[in-house]
Amino acid sequence: MSRFVDRLTAIQTRQNSIICVGLDFDRKKVPLHIAELYGIRADVGIEMFNRRIIDAVAPYCSVFKPNLAFYESSGKKGWGALARTVAYIRERHPDHLVIGDGKRNDIGNTAEHYAEGLAQLGFHAVTWNPYMGNETAHPFFKAGLAVIALCLTSNPGAADYQLLECDGKPLYMHVAEKTVADFGASGHFGLVVGATKPEQLGRVRDAIGLDIPILIPGLKTQGGDAAATMQHNKGGQAIINFSRNVLYASAGPDFDQAAEREAQNSNDEVNALRNAV
């Protein structure tokens, strides 16, 4: 099996893009004509929207990241649409990578079942919650999935635990150092650090080096600053996520064309900034 980081490097180089597009289908925000169809058949509405977005933005990104919650909320039709969306990406854009964003984890055989279920959906990688210890990552690796560990998230509530001092350093730094020490050499591992905390991103990058990929959500809609993010990432391998600003760039019939323009503009901005580092 090819290493996740090698495949990531290859597609990012080919696409000249470190952009990830989050496929967070929200029936409250989709264009009206799609919403009307969604009311008739949820799975058709989700798939129609996703396929048009995927084909429009694929030239300007290297990774897609469906957030599982947006599909779970539609029950079995949502799960079916998610599976077919992942299959569509892998068929139409086979070199693009797909991250299942569910922050999944548990102990023992529960983790095994989480891993098997996500692998069956066709993901290349999953976001993983390290709170229960590094042993719980092994079922995901065994299932053929790369693991991207939550290190420091973009929400204000991250301060409740992740920023707490523990043995002379914040908890998120313990997560970064321990997980990278255990899994970094595998080539199937990365971290999540939110763009709303650029100085902490820089601290993580200094600790782990430039080769471990960091998935960075939180730009645009959540308030993260692209210039600060790229500066503090210091040229390390990154996956820069954009979701709502791309998906819902227009509420009209031209939603896919608007998404394409927004994805291109976002990629151009990120490329200009990373070339300046």
Side-chain angles (χ1 to χ4, degrees), residues 31-46:
L32 180 61
H33 65 291
I34 297 292
E36 290 174 345
L37 180 57
Y38 179 91
I40 300 171
R41 284 194 60 195
D43 51 345
V44 173
I46 296 171

Side-chain angles (χ1 to χ4, degrees), residues 187-245:
H188 297 290
F189 180 76
L191 295 172
V192 177
V193 180
T196 56
K197 300 174 177 65
E199 293 182 1
Q200 289 87 349
L201 169 63
R203 184 172 178 181
V204 170
R205 184 53 82 189
D206 285 340
I208 69 172
L210 300 179
D211 295 334
I212 301 296
I214 299 180
L215 171 61
I216 307 176
L219 290 172
K220 299 284 186 178
T221 306
Q222 295 183 53
D225 178 79
T229 296
M230 299 311 297
Q231 176 186 354
H232 288 279
N233 185 54
K234 306 178 182 184
Q237 186 159 37
I239 306 168
I240 309 295
N241 185 71
F242 295 95
S243 295
R244 283 171 282 181
N245 67 299

Side-chain angles (χ1 to χ4, degrees), residues 172-192:
Y172 74 87
M173 286 301 301
H174 288 279
V175 171
E177 293 172 359
K178 175 63 174 171
T179 57
V180 169
D182 285 358
F183 306 132
S186 71
H188 297 290
F189 180 76
L191 295 172
V192 177

